[in-house]
Amino acid sequence: MIKELNQKIQSRELSCLDLNKEYLAIIKEKNESLRAFLEVYEKEVLAQAEAVDKKVNRKKKIGLLEGIPYGLKDNVCLQGKRTSAGSRMLNNYQAVYDATVVKKLKEAGAIVMGKTNMDEFAMGSSTESSVFGPTKNPWDESRVPGGSSGGSAAAVAAEMVPWALGSDTGGSIRQPAGFCGVVGFKPTYGRVSRYGLIAMASSYDQIGPLAKTVEDVALIYQVIKGKDVKDNTTIEKSEADLEDNFSLKGKKIGIVKEFFDSEGLDKKVKTTVEKRIEFAKEQGVEIIEVKLDYFKHSLAVYYIMMTAEISSNLARMDGIRFGFNESLEKDAKAKDILDVYNFSREMALGPESKRRVILGTYVLSAGYYDAYYKKAQKIREIIKQEVKKVFEQVDVLISPTSPKPAFKLGEKISDPLQLYLEDIYTVGANVAMIPGISIPAGIVSEDGKDLPVGLQLLGRWWEDEKLLSFAKALEL
Ligand code: GLN
């Protein structure tokens, strides 16, 4: 899709200005009810589009992403623009610099259409914890788009933009992609710089693209990846390019039996994914059942380590260094600095952020650190080793992206544990730091409405492009 748009602009079949105007018109029509975008930069978008047209008119060659608009999740810094992370705490925060991904995309000429809605500080699976109100699923507006990158997924699904960026700490790119019927890719931890991403859990967070096709996410990935001196967890590691003539014949795909036998897995989701596995077999793939004894503990490991990392990352949201300080201006009751912290955090953090900060502070506290945080770290290492071994037998692992299709707004928000179970298939990739992608697997019907089902593929550490080749071959 991006390639075609690029060709049309380059050949002047379509002006970049008209293209962007079309997307803006769709946003105007749909955003009020979907609430996928929090802000749209119409004036800047049109000015940039005009500049691209001028360049084309001068017979200059434009880059693949040049003039193509995208949605930016609101936890990624864009200089001079509000970057709220869906929180009241950062409601007035204007980013003072560009995130590395934004910088790279600016250099490539991509146009930021606006900021997309998200769960507060990326905590959630439904985009309902955003202080700006929930995003709705374009397939059925009584349902959630998934989360936390729900705004990005809904924006792509509703054709408000051809692609968007999200962040994935435990599944936040893949799960909403699955719920909205688009492609969502979380690269290997360390492939894409996190500089300028408002941290949730630093050893799990990774930025990645959502788009309509695997080819598009691969294109975007190639632009945003790479070593960044500002993020010392990134490294330069070469990899084979996306293979054009990639054949599934003779390849090995692993399935974890427990994933498919799980009681929580919706029957229709199961059959939809199994159909795609049958398709893979017809293409000559060998399906191998693999055993992963520790992988199933990923969710437990994640919910301990992630809360610990959140409690320390959100410590800076204290009303002074960052955040809401209306208490200082308006509330004469603040007697001392502790009062300022307390008032700010009490007023400006939502219930999920508070829950996780408290849990995280507990698991990091003296006496419990060894029992929880350290133990979880050890299990994470074991899981990584186990996953490495499994990838000696198979090229990729396949599973549903989520146990069920998109659920109703309000259905799970009061039951955090239910919501946490949404991550059962996705979180392992973050624990093991491997790449993962969700692609559309088919459509099921719920209450007379069509809903998409996502299929997840997990790949070897640092073999992102190979994973993308698999995903492309298995695309509907
Ligand atoms: N749903 C998960 C959580 O609430 C994952 C969030 C994410 O990936 N940012 O922690």
Side-chain angles (χ1 to χ4, degrees):
M1 186 170 162
I2 291 178
K3 270 192 186 155
E4 283 131 46
L5 292 177
N6 169 267
Q7 274 158 14
K8 280 189 184 164
I9 300 174
Q10 186 76 70
S11 65
R12 293 204 279 177
E13 187 185 330
L14 172 71
S15 80
C16 185
L17 189 63
D18 284 345
L19 174 78
N20 281 277
K21 277 186 177 164
E22 272 173 40
Y23 284 118
L24 281 162
I26 300 176
I27 294 175
K28 282 212 177 100
E29 180 199 330
K30 297 186 180 167
N31 200 48
E32 206 173 301
S33 65
L34 289 181
R35 209 184 280 116
F37 276 99
L38 296 175
E39 283 187 352
V40 176
Y41 313 124
E42 180 166 351
K43 243 176 69 195
E44 286 104 317
V45 170
L46 296 176
Q48 285 174 72
E50 269 178 13
V52 174
D53 283 333
K54 276 197 188 129
K55 192 167 164 185
V56 173
N57 289 342
R58 275 186 269 123
K59 305 243 163 2
K60 288 236 168 87
K61 186 150 172 53
I62 55 165
L64 268 175
L65 294 183
E66 206 163 337
I68 311 279
Y70 72 101
L72 185 61
K73 188 173 178 181
D74 204 24
N75 57 353
V76 183
C77 288
L78 174 65
Q79 192 173 18
K81 297 290 182 202
R82 185 181 73 175
T83 301
S84 75
S87 179
R88 190 175 177 201
M89 185 62 98
L90 296 178
N91 192 17
N92 296 321
Y93 174 67
Q94 282 207 351
V96 289
Y97 64 94
D98 280 331
T100 296
V101 286
V102 169
K103 196 169 154 257
K104 288 189 171 198
L105 287 164
K106 272 188 184 168
E107 282 159 12
I111 299 178
V112 190
M113 179 61 92
K115 287 298 198 74
T116 57
N117 201 8
M118 57 180 284
D119 280 301
E120 185 179 27
F121 291 113
M123 303 177 201
S125 306
S126 66
T127 317
E128 288 168 291
S129 73
S130 165
V131 71
F132 305 104
T135 298
K136 292 174 187 161
N137 191 316
W139 292 70
D140 173 356
E141 293 195 12
S142 69
R143 293 178 189 269
V144 303
S148 60
S149 312
S152 291
V156 175
E159 274 150 21
M160 294 169 160
V161 271
W163 69 275
L165 276 188
S167 67
D168 190 313
T169 308
S172 277
I173 290 175
R174 291 160 285 156
Q175 185 253 16
F179 276 17
C180 292
V182 300
V183 179
F185 173 48
K186 179 203 92 76
T188 299
Y189 182 85
R191 272 284 183 212
V192 178
S193 168
R194 289 174 296 108
Y195 180 72
L197 168 71
I198 296 178
M200 176 180 154
S202 312
S203 76
Y204 289 80
D205 298 339
Q206 193 64 190
I207 295 175
L210 295 101
K212 281 278 173 79
T213 65
V214 175
E215 187 183 72
D216 284 356
V217 298
L219 257 173
I220 300 148
Y221 164 69
Q222 273 145 16
V223 173
I224 61 175
K225 73 172 181 176
K227 184 179 164 59
D228 178 13
V229 287
K230 291 180 173 138
D231 173 358
N232 61 13
T233 60
T234 54
I235 59 170
E236 199 64 73
K237 210 167 160 67
S238 61
E239 58 183 327
D241 282 344
L242 192 69
E243 286 177 47
D244 273 339
N245 302 316
F246 181 81
S247 155
L248 286 170
K249 203 168 157 51
K251 299 288 189 310
K252 293 179 176 136
I253 297 188
I255 54 167
V256 184
K257 202 161 168 287
E258 287 120 305
F259 278 10
F260 287 85
D261 291 345
S262 140
E263 251 178 55
L265 177 61
D266 179 275
K267 287 244 152 55
K268 286 184 260 182
V269 169
K270 188 175 171 188
T271 9
T272 310
V273 173
E274 280 172 350
K275 268 196 203 139
R276 297 311 293 160
I277 296 177
E278 279 310 310
F279 168 80
K281 275 191 198 158
E282 286 160 18
Q283 307 302 305
V285 162
E286 188 184 342
I287 302 289
I288 299 176
E289 235 179 69
V290 295
K291 239 175 92 63
L292 284 167
D293 294 325
Y294 289 90
F295 201 63
K296 56 175 171 283
H297 299 301
S298 292
L299 200 63
V301 167
Y302 171 71
Y303 272 90
I304 288 176
M305 289 188 69
M306 169 273 288
T307 57
E309 294 185 19
I310 282 177
S311 91
S312 82
N313 276 329
L314 292 200
R316 74 191 69 147
M317 307 293 163
D318 56 10
I320 294 176
R321 279 174 296 180
F322 284 97
F324 182 89
N325 57 9
E326 282 175 35
S327 57
L328 266 184
E329 290 151 25
K330 290 194 190 141
D331 211 321
K333 277 189 299 185
K335 293 186 300 301
D336 51 26
I337 189 84
L338 199 61
D339 268 359
V340 175
Y341 298 158
N342 284 339
F343 289 153
S344 312
R345 289 166 77 82
E346 170 56 34
M347 275 191 263
L349 288 179
E352 188 58 28
S353 300
K354 284 180 187 151
R355 180 162 29 242
R356 296 194 193 193
V357 165
I358 291 168
L359 264 170
T361 309
Y362 175 78
V363 304
L364 286 178
S365 60
Y368 294 103
Y369 178 86
D370 286 347
Y372 292 109
Y373 189 71
K374 221 166 159 189
K375 187 69 150 280
Q377 249 181 337
K378 283 184 185 159
I379 311 279
R380 185 184 202 179
E381 256 339 285
I382 294 173
I383 291 172
K384 277 197 210 156
Q385 295 311 322
E386 182 184 64
V387 166
K388 221 180 195 169
K389 272 232 163 75
V390 158
F391 279 119
E392 285 168 11
Q393 291 172 52
V394 297
D395 300 295
V396 295
L397 289 171
I398 197 167
S399 74
T401 305
S402 313
K404 295 189 171 72
F407 48 90
K408 296 261 184 188
L409 284 152
E411 190 181 319
K412 296 193 180 179
I413 196 74
S414 53
D415 188 350
L417 267 181
Q418 272 301 313
L419 210 53
Y420 298 170
L421 285 173
E422 273 301 308
D423 308 326
I424 190 113
Y425 300 126
T426 49
V427 75
N430 305 74
V431 172
M433 299 177 155
I434 55 175
I437 187 166
S438 177
I439 57 172
I443 288 165
V444 296
S445 172
E446 291 278 336
D447 307 333
K449 290 239 165 115
D450 282 349
L451 290 179
V453 168
L455 171 160
Q456 176 180 248
L457 294 170
L458 302 178
R460 284 193 196 115
W461 220 23
W462 305 112
E463 292 192 359
D464 300 78
E465 297 272 11
K466 189 161 176 197
L467 175 67
L468 290 166
S469 296
F470 265 91
K472 197 166 174 225
L474 287 172
E475 221 171 2
L476 278 176

